[in-house]
Amino acid sequence: MSQSPLEFLVVIPARLGSTRLPRKPLADIGGKPMVIRVAERAKASLAQSVIVATDSPEIAQACQEHRIECLLTSADHPTGTDRIAEVARLLKLPPQTLVVNVQGDEPLIPPELINQVAQTLADHPACAISTVAVQICDPAEIDNPNAVKVVLNKAGEALYFSRAPIPFVRDPNTSTSHLRHLGIYAYRAEFLQAYTRLDPAPPEQAEALEQLRALWNGYRIAVHTASEAPPAGVDTAEDLERVRQILGDFPA
């Protein structure tokens, strides 16, 4: 029996409001706005379509100039997931459609990683979400609350995500490994609509981790363990300069 071809779409939520790096999606990288660089990486994946979802007419105009599909969405969304859910409603996506959330500040994201997170969800029909983790090699990351850890069950599904060092190693002679969560997700369209009706969960509020809302409400999350971490995204002006040096020689 032949395997069905992988079908999914990519949605890139993008908004101009950013406290650490104002107007980040429109930051110039080698002659193109960052959000366009991200969309071009996504278009190099197997996605059937790539859509930028924004509340900014300026971002929409940049997309139009570079022939990138864009949808204007509400300015009131508290999270990128809510913005993607609006896209799913606007497009009237069938319930089992796979939607990959690519962050708008990942201009170096490998297209194969996008394919992999979609494939992982396709391979786990009982799961509503898929995401990616990578083994932690630097011991300092285990105690770093900015590095989110995840523990999996034997089926490769998430048991819990935490900023704390999990699993806690009580006996230093115990052989164990720690996984760092990477912020790329795939969702089934039906989950996106359900998510917008879920109240914030106590562990989500304690950890400030949105994915815990899904686990709290009984949704299953499949996790692909990548062999290596992708290049870091852009959070600061220093990150932006690093990416400019990598991509700046590309023609506009």
Side-chain angles (χ1 to χ4, degrees):
M1 184 177 176
S2 61
Q3 188 177 18
S4 299
L6 181 63
E7 294 187 2
F8 65 95
L9 68 151
V10 169
V11 180
I12 304 168
R15 61 186 185 90
L16 280 183
S18 173
T19 54
R20 299 179 70 181
L21 192 59
R23 299 176 60 80
K24 181 164 64 170
L26 295 178
D28 182 87
I29 300 177
K32 296 180 182 180
M34 177 159 54
V35 69
I36 302 303
R37 291 288 189 183
V38 176
E40 289 175 343
R41 299 292 279 184
K43 287 175 76 70
S45 74
L46 297 175
Q48 277 66 51
S49 61
V50 174
I51 301 167
V52 172
T54 186
D55 59 359
S56 165
E58 284 186 81
I59 291 176
Q61 178 65 30
C63 290
Q64 182 178 358
E65 290 171 1
H66 290 86
R67 295 184 173 86
I68 299 295
E69 187 175 356
C70 182
L71 284 176
L72 275 171
T73 53
S74 169
D76 299 328
H77 292 308
T79 70
T81 309
D82 291 286
R83 194 173 304 283
I84 293 171
E86 182 182 350
V87 170
R89 287 195 301 274
L90 290 171
L91 297 179
K92 296 181 171 59
L93 297 180
Q96 291 301 308
T97 304
L98 304 187
V99 182
V100 176
N101 174 359
V102 174
Q103 299 297 320
D105 56 6
E106 299 277 355
L108 300 177
I109 189 167
E112 182 52 42
L113 188 65
I114 299 172
N115 296 339
Q116 188 60 65
V117 74
Q119 186 66 61
T120 298
L121 188 53
D123 292 343
H124 290 77
C127 293
I129 309 171
S130 63
T131 190
V132 178
V134 65
Q135 188 164 337
I136 292 177
C137 299
D138 181 359
E141 283 195 344
I142 297 172
D143 292 305
N144 181 355
N146 293 318
V148 176
K149 275 67 67 175
V150 59
V151 172
L152 311 183
N153 65 16
K154 66 179 182 180
E157 298 174 11
L159 289 172
Y160 192 68
F161 297 84
S162 182
R163 298 182 184 279
I166 58 170
F168 175 77
V169 182
R170 183 175 182 181
D171 181 352
N173 296 315
T174 301
S175 177
T176 190
S177 61
H178 292 80
L179 294 174
R180 177 166 63 88
H181 176 233
L182 305 180
I184 180 172
Y185 297 93
Y187 313 96
R188 298 188 192 279
E190 62 183 356
F191 166 78
L192 286 167
Q193 302 317 313
Y195 175 85
T196 63
R197 299 188 293 270
L198 299 176
D199 292 328
E204 171 195 2
Q205 293 172 313
E207 299 254 20
L209 295 175
E210 185 184 331
Q211 63 270 38
L212 292 176
R213 188 182 311 184
L215 290 182
W216 172 261
N217 285 280
Y219 291 97
R220 293 160 64 177
I221 302 177
V223 181
H224 168 67
T225 302
S227 57
E228 61 181 4
V234 176
D235 287 322
T236 66
E238 291 76 18
D239 294 336
L240 180 59
E241 287 307 314
R242 169 181 52 82
V243 172
R244 280 172 170 162
Q245 290 193 17
I246 295 171
L247 293 179
D249 292 334
F250 282 54

PDB file of all heavy atoms in Angstrom, residues 11 25 31 60 67 69 71 84 87 95 101 114 117 122 124 132 161 166 168 176 192 198 222 234:
ATOM      1  N   VAL A  11       1.500  28.639   7.695  1.00  0.00           N
ATOM      2  CA  VAL A  11       1.027  29.975   8.039  1.00  0.00           C
ATOM      3  C   VAL A  11       2.090  30.650   8.900  1.00  0.00           C
ATOM      4  O   VAL A  11       2.602  30.052   9.861  1.00  0.00           O
ATOM      5  CB  VAL A  11      -0.316  29.940   8.790  1.00  0.00           C
ATOM      6  CG1 VAL A  11      -0.762  31.360   9.133  1.00  0.00           C
ATOM      7  CG2 VAL A  11      -1.386  29.254   7.945  1.00  0.00           C
ATOM      8  N   PRO A  25       9.347  42.198  11.727  1.00  0.00           N
ATOM      9  CA  PRO A  25       9.081  41.493  10.468  1.00  0.00           C
ATOM     10  C   PRO A  25       9.541  42.250   9.224  1.00  0.00           C
ATOM     11  O   PRO A  25       9.798  41.636   8.186  1.00  0.00           O
ATOM     12  CB  PRO A  25       7.557  41.328  10.465  1.00  0.00           C
ATOM     13  CG  PRO A  25       7.163  41.409  11.895  1.00  0.00           C
ATOM     14  CD  PRO A  25       8.112  42.393  12.506  1.00  0.00           C
ATOM     15  N   GLY A  31      18.232  43.199   1.415  1.00  0.00           N
ATOM     16  CA  GLY A  31      17.325  43.790   0.435  1.00  0.00           C
ATOM     17  C   GLY A  31      15.896  43.304   0.505  1.00  0.00           C
ATOM     18  O   GLY A  31      15.061  43.743  -0.297  1.00  0.00           O
ATOM     19  N   ALA A  60       1.318  43.459   4.907  1.00  0.00           N
ATOM     20  CA  ALA A  60       0.545  42.982   3.763  1.00  0.00           C
ATOM     21  C   ALA A  60       1.064  43.583   2.459  1.00  0.00           C
ATOM     22  O   ALA A  60       1.160  42.895   1.433  1.00  0.00           O
ATOM     23  CB  ALA A  60      -0.931  43.313   3.963  1.00  0.00           C
ATOM     24  N   ARG A  67       5.055  39.075  -3.991  1.00  0.00           N
ATOM     25  CA  ARG A  67       4.197  37.982  -4.470  1.00  0.00           C
ATOM     26  C   ARG A  67       4.094  36.834  -3.442  1.00  0.00           C
ATOM     27  O   ARG A  67       4.147  35.661  -3.803  1.00  0.00           O
ATOM     28  CB  ARG A  67       4.689  37.455  -5.814  1.00  0.00           C
ATOM     29  CG  ARG A  67       4.598  38.485  -6.937  1.00  0.00           C
ATOM     30  CD  ARG A  67       5.013  37.879  -8.275  1.00  0.00           C
ATOM     31  NE  ARG A  67       4.784  38.807  -9.378  1.00  0.00           N
ATOM     32  CZ  ARG A  67       5.651  39.733  -9.759  1.00  0.00           C
ATOM     33  NH1 ARG A  67       6.802  39.840  -9.126  1.00  0.00           N
ATOM     34  NH2 ARG A  67       5.374  40.530 -10.760  1.00  0.00           N
ATOM     35  N   GLU A  69       1.539  35.271  -0.590  1.00  0.00           N
ATOM     36  CA  GLU A  69       0.135  35.323  -0.168  1.00  0.00           C
ATOM     37  C   GLU A  69       0.039  35.818   1.270  1.00  0.00           C
ATOM     38  O   GLU A  69       0.827  35.426   2.137  1.00  0.00           O
ATOM     39  CB  GLU A  69      -0.496  33.937  -0.291  1.00  0.00           C
ATOM     40  CG  GLU A  69      -1.998  33.930  -0.039  1.00  0.00           C
ATOM     41  CD  GLU A  69      -2.641  32.578  -0.276  1.00  0.00           C
ATOM     42  OE1 GLU A  69      -1.939  31.645  -0.722  1.00  0.00           O
ATOM     43  OE2 GLU A  69      -3.853  32.456  -0.008  1.00  0.00           O
ATOM     44  N   LEU A  71      -2.916  37.257   4.438  1.00  0.00           N
ATOM     45  CA  LEU A  71      -4.271  37.514   4.912  1.00  0.00           C
ATOM     46  C   LEU A  71      -4.207  38.509   6.065  1.00  0.00           C
ATOM     47  O   LEU A  71      -3.412  38.337   6.998  1.00  0.00           O
ATOM     48  CB  LEU A  71      -4.934  36.217   5.386  1.00  0.00           C
ATOM     49  CG  LEU A  71      -5.430  35.264   4.294  1.00  0.00           C
ATOM     50  CD1 LEU A  71      -5.964  33.983   4.937  1.00  0.00           C
ATOM     51  CD2 LEU A  71      -6.510  35.915   3.438  1.00  0.00           C
ATOM     52  N   ILE A  84      -3.509  32.097  13.647  1.00  0.00           N
ATOM     53  CA  ILE A  84      -3.551  31.006  12.670  1.00  0.00           C
ATOM     54  C   ILE A  84      -4.939  30.372  12.633  1.00  0.00           C
ATOM     55  O   ILE A  84      -5.438  29.986  11.573  1.00  0.00           O
ATOM     56  CB  ILE A  84      -2.469  29.959  13.011  1.00  0.00           C
ATOM     57  CG1 ILE A  84      -1.081  30.566  12.803  1.00  0.00           C
ATOM     58  CG2 ILE A  84      -2.622  28.713  12.144  1.00  0.00           C
ATOM     59  CD1 ILE A  84       0.047  29.708  13.313  1.00  0.00           C
ATOM     60  N   VAL A  87      -7.059  32.261  10.331  1.00  0.00           N
ATOM     61  CA  VAL A  87      -6.764  31.906   8.939  1.00  0.00           C
ATOM     62  C   VAL A  87      -7.498  30.622   8.556  1.00  0.00           C
ATOM     63  O   VAL A  87      -8.095  30.527   7.476  1.00  0.00           O
ATOM     64  CB  VAL A  87      -5.245  31.742   8.738  1.00  0.00           C
ATOM     65  CG1 VAL A  87      -4.945  31.139   7.361  1.00  0.00           C
ATOM     66  CG2 VAL A  87      -4.536  33.082   8.890  1.00  0.00           C
ATOM     67  N   PRO A  95     -11.374  19.694   8.575  1.00  0.00           N
ATOM     68  CA  PRO A  95     -10.893  19.433   9.933  1.00  0.00           C
ATOM     69  C   PRO A  95      -9.508  18.794  10.019  1.00  0.00           C
ATOM     70  O   PRO A  95      -8.739  19.106  10.929  1.00  0.00           O
ATOM     71  CB  PRO A  95     -11.960  18.500  10.519  1.00  0.00           C
ATOM     72  CG  PRO A  95     -13.196  18.820   9.746  1.00  0.00           C
ATOM     73  CD  PRO A  95     -12.738  19.172   8.375  1.00  0.00           C
ATOM     74  N   ASN A 101       2.894  26.067  11.708  1.00  0.00           N
ATOM     75  CA  ASN A 101       3.150  27.422  12.213  1.00  0.00           C
ATOM     76  C   ASN A 101       4.653  27.678  12.154  1.00  0.00           C
ATOM     77  O   ASN A 101       5.425  27.088  12.917  1.00  0.00           O
ATOM     78  CB  ASN A 101       2.640  27.516  13.659  1.00  0.00           C
ATOM     79  CG  ASN A 101       2.981  28.836  14.336  1.00  0.00           C
ATOM     80  OD1 ASN A 101       3.620  29.705  13.755  1.00  0.00           O
ATOM     81  ND2 ASN A 101       2.572  28.974  15.585  1.00  0.00           N
ATOM     82  N   ILE A 114      10.517  22.010   8.382  1.00  0.00           N
ATOM     83  CA  ILE A 114       9.088  22.265   8.155  1.00  0.00           C
ATOM     84  C   ILE A 114       8.405  20.996   7.662  1.00  0.00           C
ATOM     85  O   ILE A 114       7.339  20.603   8.147  1.00  0.00           O
ATOM     86  CB  ILE A 114       8.906  23.419   7.151  1.00  0.00           C
ATOM     87  CG1 ILE A 114       9.526  24.712   7.698  1.00  0.00           C
ATOM     88  CG2 ILE A 114       7.430  23.616   6.814  1.00  0.00           C
ATOM     89  CD1 ILE A 114       9.560  25.853   6.700  1.00  0.00           C
ATOM     90  N   VAL A 117       8.073  18.363  10.661  1.00  0.00           N
ATOM     91  CA  VAL A 117       7.044  18.564  11.680  1.00  0.00           C
ATOM     92  C   VAL A 117       5.669  18.213  11.105  1.00  0.00           C
ATOM     93  O   VAL A 117       4.809  17.668  11.817  1.00  0.00           O
ATOM     94  CB  VAL A 117       7.082  19.993  12.258  1.00  0.00           C
ATOM     95  CG1 VAL A 117       6.544  21.029  11.302  1.00  0.00           C
ATOM     96  CG2 VAL A 117       6.338  20.073  13.588  1.00  0.00           C
ATOM     97  N   ALA A 122       1.324  13.849  10.508  1.00  0.00           N
ATOM     98  CA  ALA A 122       0.659  12.908   9.598  1.00  0.00           C
ATOM     99  C   ALA A 122       0.842  11.471  10.069  1.00  0.00           C
ATOM    100  O   ALA A 122      -0.056  10.634   9.913  1.00  0.00           O
ATOM    101  CB  ALA A 122       1.207  13.085   8.184  1.00  0.00           C
ATOM    102  N   HIS A 124       1.080  10.499  13.149  1.00  0.00           N
ATOM    103  CA  HIS A 124       0.453  10.290  14.465  1.00  0.00           C
ATOM    104  C   HIS A 124      -1.012  10.753  14.389  1.00  0.00           C
ATOM    105  O   HIS A 124      -1.351  11.840  14.867  1.00  0.00           O
ATOM    106  CB  HIS A 124       1.196  11.061  15.556  1.00  0.00           C
ATOM    107  CG  HIS A 124       2.545  10.508  15.872  1.00  0.00           C
ATOM    108  ND1 HIS A 124       3.647  10.716  15.076  1.00  0.00           N
ATOM    109  CD2 HIS A 124       2.978   9.734  16.915  1.00  0.00           C
ATOM    110  CE1 HIS A 124       4.701  10.111  15.610  1.00  0.00           C
ATOM    111  NE2 HIS A 124       4.314   9.507  16.712  1.00  0.00           N
ATOM    112  N   VAL A 132       8.916  19.823  17.654  1.00  0.00           N
ATOM    113  CA  VAL A 132      10.276  19.308  17.471  1.00  0.00           C
ATOM    114  C   VAL A 132      11.081  19.538  18.740  1.00  0.00           C
ATOM    115  O   VAL A 132      10.890  20.537  19.449  1.00  0.00           O
ATOM    116  CB  VAL A 132      10.963  20.002  16.276  1.00  0.00           C
ATOM    117  CG1 VAL A 132      12.395  19.502  16.095  1.00  0.00           C
ATOM    118  CG2 VAL A 132      10.161  19.778  14.993  1.00  0.00           C
ATOM    119  N   PHE A 161       6.063  19.791  29.240  1.00  0.00           N
ATOM    120  CA  PHE A 161       7.062  20.791  28.879  1.00  0.00           C
ATOM    121  C   PHE A 161       7.321  21.642  30.113  1.00  0.00           C
ATOM    122  O   PHE A 161       6.396  21.964  30.865  1.00  0.00           O
ATOM    123  CB  PHE A 161       6.540  21.719  27.775  1.00  0.00           C
ATOM    124  CG  PHE A 161       6.238  21.055  26.468  1.00  0.00           C
ATOM    125  CD1 PHE A 161       5.008  20.427  26.259  1.00  0.00           C
ATOM    126  CD2 PHE A 161       7.158  21.068  25.423  1.00  0.00           C
ATOM    127  CE1 PHE A 161       4.710  19.835  25.048  1.00  0.00           C
ATOM    128  CE2 PHE A 161       6.862  20.468  24.212  1.00  0.00           C
ATOM    129  CZ  PHE A 161       5.632  19.852  24.015  1.00  0.00           C
ATOM    130  N   ILE A 166      13.832  19.044  33.553  1.00  0.00           N
ATOM    131  CA  ILE A 166      13.133  17.757  33.595  1.00  0.00           C
ATOM    132  C   ILE A 166      13.700  16.846  32.520  1.00  0.00           C
ATOM    133  O   ILE A 166      14.056  17.293  31.439  1.00  0.00           O
ATOM    134  CB  ILE A 166      11.603  17.929  33.407  1.00  0.00           C
ATOM    135  CG1 ILE A 166      11.287  18.623  32.069  1.00  0.00           C
ATOM    136  CG2 ILE A 166      10.981  18.633  34.576  1.00  0.00           C
ATOM    137  CD1 ILE A 166       9.807  18.627  31.698  1.00  0.00           C
ATOM    138  N   PHE A 168      14.231  15.437  36.386  1.00  0.00           N
ATOM    139  CA  PHE A 168      15.195  15.689  37.453  1.00  0.00           C
ATOM    140  C   PHE A 168      15.995  14.412  37.685  1.00  0.00           C
ATOM    141  O   PHE A 168      15.426  13.339  37.851  1.00  0.00           O
ATOM    142  CB  PHE A 168      14.478  16.099  38.742  1.00  0.00           C
ATOM    143  CG  PHE A 168      15.407  16.257  39.914  1.00  0.00           C
ATOM    144  CD1 PHE A 168      16.194  17.386  40.038  1.00  0.00           C
ATOM    145  CD2 PHE A 168      15.499  15.266  40.880  1.00  0.00           C
ATOM    146  CE1 PHE A 168      17.069  17.534  41.101  1.00  0.00           C
ATOM    147  CE2 PHE A 168      16.362  15.407  41.953  1.00  0.00           C
ATOM    148  CZ  PHE A 168      17.149  16.543  42.062  1.00  0.00           C
ATOM    149  N   THR A 176      20.819   9.398  31.497  1.00  0.00           N
ATOM    150  CA  THR A 176      19.621  10.003  30.931  1.00  0.00           C
ATOM    151  C   THR A 176      20.023  11.145  30.010  1.00  0.00           C
ATOM    152  O   THR A 176      21.170  11.605  30.028  1.00  0.00           O
ATOM    153  CB  THR A 176      18.667  10.521  32.034  1.00  0.00           C
ATOM    154  OG1 THR A 176      17.418  10.897  31.443  1.00  0.00           O
ATOM    155  CG2 THR A 176      19.254  11.733  32.741  1.00  0.00           C
ATOM    156  N   LEU A 192      -7.252  23.776  15.938  1.00  0.00           N
ATOM    157  CA  LEU A 192      -7.116  25.233  15.986  1.00  0.00           C
ATOM    158  C   LEU A 192      -8.418  25.897  16.411  1.00  0.00           C
ATOM    159  O   LEU A 192      -8.418  26.855  17.188  1.00  0.00           O
ATOM    160  CB  LEU A 192      -6.662  25.760  14.624  1.00  0.00           C
ATOM    161  CG  LEU A 192      -5.198  25.504  14.259  1.00  0.00           C
ATOM    162  CD1 LEU A 192      -4.958  25.783  12.782  1.00  0.00           C
ATOM    163  CD2 LEU A 192      -4.263  26.336  15.131  1.00  0.00           C
ATOM    164  N   LEU A 198     -10.609  27.295  24.492  1.00  0.00           N
ATOM    165  CA  LEU A 198     -10.045  26.766  25.736  1.00  0.00           C
ATOM    166  C   LEU A 198      -9.558  27.902  26.632  1.00  0.00           C
ATOM    167  O   LEU A 198      -8.901  28.827  26.172  1.00  0.00           O
ATOM    168  CB  LEU A 198      -8.873  25.824  25.438  1.00  0.00           C
ATOM    169  CG  LEU A 198      -9.176  24.580  24.603  1.00  0.00           C
ATOM    170  CD1 LEU A 198      -7.880  23.810  24.324  1.00  0.00           C
ATOM    171  CD2 LEU A 198     -10.190  23.681  25.296  1.00  0.00           C
ATOM    172  N   ALA A 222       2.675  15.051  19.346  1.00  0.00           N
ATOM    173  CA  ALA A 222       3.764  14.217  18.838  1.00  0.00           C
ATOM    174  C   ALA A 222       5.024  15.066  18.711  1.00  0.00           C
ATOM    175  O   ALA A 222       4.955  16.224  18.309  1.00  0.00           O
ATOM    176  CB  ALA A 222       3.389  13.624  17.479  1.00  0.00           C
ATOM    177  N   VAL A 234      15.602  35.369  15.254  1.00  0.00           N
ATOM    178  CA  VAL A 234      15.975  36.760  15.514  1.00  0.00           C
ATOM    179  C   VAL A 234      15.136  37.308  16.661  1.00  0.00           C
ATOM    180  O   VAL A 234      13.927  37.490  16.522  1.00  0.00           O
ATOM    181  CB  VAL A 234      15.785  37.632  14.261  1.00  0.00           C
ATOM    182  CG1 VAL A 234      16.078  39.097  14.580  1.00  0.00           C
ATOM    183  CG2 VAL A 234      16.675  37.144  13.129  1.00  0.00           C
TER     184      VAL A 234
END
